Amino acid sequence: MLALTSHAYRPGVMTELSERTKANMDVVLEETCRQLPHGGGHDSRRFIAERLIEAAESGHCTLGELGIVARRALAELMGKGG
């Protein structure tokens, strides 16, 4: 479950992410972290979750869009040595 935040921040406006978007983010985070040893450590999961939150705040809310963001974050992590 994403515990970092459930709100999207826009200049001067704070809007709640939809339940569907939050569910999509949870699914994508879990699927992505399965590719990491032991499901990913706290820092790795947080890095990917932060990227997902940024994407959702920008309006990228579908499983496909979030999956792309998560895979890019995972590739970045792997490039750094995980």
Side-chain angles (χ1 to χ4, degrees):
M1 194 87 177
L2 293 174
L4 297 175
T5 182
S6 63
H7 293 88
Y9 296 94
R10 294 195 175 94
V13 178
M14 185 172 75
T15 58
E16 178 94 12
L17 292 175
S18 75
E19 291 301 315
R20 177 169 300 247
T21 298
K22 289 188 275 187
N24 286 348
M25 292 166 63
D26 285 337
V27 166
V28 169
L29 180 64
E30 292 305 318
E31 287 178 354
T32 303
C33 289
R34 281 189 203 130
Q35 298 175 50
L36 294 166
H38 309 290
H42 175 75
D43 291 338
S44 297
R45 293 178 69 84
R46 185 169 119 179
F47 179 81
I48 295 167
E50 287 172 347
R51 295 296 173 92
L52 290 171
I53 291 166
E54 290 170 7
E57 289 172 349
S58 298
H60 303 287
C61 301
T62 67
L63 282 172
E65 291 171 322
L66 293 169
I68 291 167
V69 169
R71 286 189 296 276
R72 286 182 182 156
L74 180 62
E76 189 175 337
L77 273 175
M78 301 303 244
K80 291 179 180 177

